[in-house]
Amino acid sequence: MATWANLSLQDSASPLMEQLTFFHDHAVLVISTIVGFVLLGKIKLFLNSFTNRFMLENQLIEAVWTSIPALILIFIALPSLRLLYLLDEISDPSLTIKTIGHQWYWSYDYSDFLNMEFDSYMIPVADLDPSGFRLLDVDNRTILPMNTQIRTLITAEDVIHSWTVPALGVKADAIPGRLNQASLLINRPGLLFGQCSEICGANHSFMPIVIESTSINSFLNWISLSTEESTPNL
């Protein structure tokens, strides 16, 4: 989870976020090299009182400083296109959940299981445990199994929201009347925090997301207990 002094990306909890982090580092390295080269050239230019007459109307130099930026753009674009296709690829998901944004809370529907849906509200500060996270903890966490291909269908009930979990590299708009989908594969257990990233009204800052990643056996036990509690006795 990000803290107030953290200037870098959050630790990844999925292969997609790992690839996003690698691309971020790749792009920063290229940009830092360009900035350093330009600053060095500026310093040399200001400290040099002579003029190189071959710098004027030199076709070779113009060709070089046109082709080098083009090669740099290709060097950045190829990993970017690869990552774009990886983010959009969803192959045979093992689990599908539906996420619905409301003003101002989230509701979740495990469509693969009967009678498995719930609302997730932020816990007020007055009711928060001393070990809890202010403005981030919820009353009902979203339990998901790790090392499982998960498809998330995202929509909204009223206005546009955005379901965002930075550690998973997921940010998908929740638009009324439209279904967006995202792919999740969590590779470590733990709590993953997120928030709505679309300004959706007065309580926009008070609809957090908490995903609890567990083993498959723990997830199935939770599903079994939850469905038994929600099924009425005949």
Side-chain angles (χ1 to χ4, degrees), residues 186-203:
I186 309 172
N187 56 14
R188 61 180 172 88
L191 294 179
L192 309 174
F193 295 91
Q195 290 177 306
C196 176
S197 297
E198 187 76 29
I199 299 177
C200 55
N203 292 331

Side-chain angles (χ1 to χ4, degrees), residues 163-183:
W163 196 78
T164 305
V165 183
L168 296 178
V170 174
K171 181 182 183 297
D173 288 338
I175 302 174
R178 176 176 175 178
L179 280 178
N180 284 336
Q181 70 176 7
S183 177

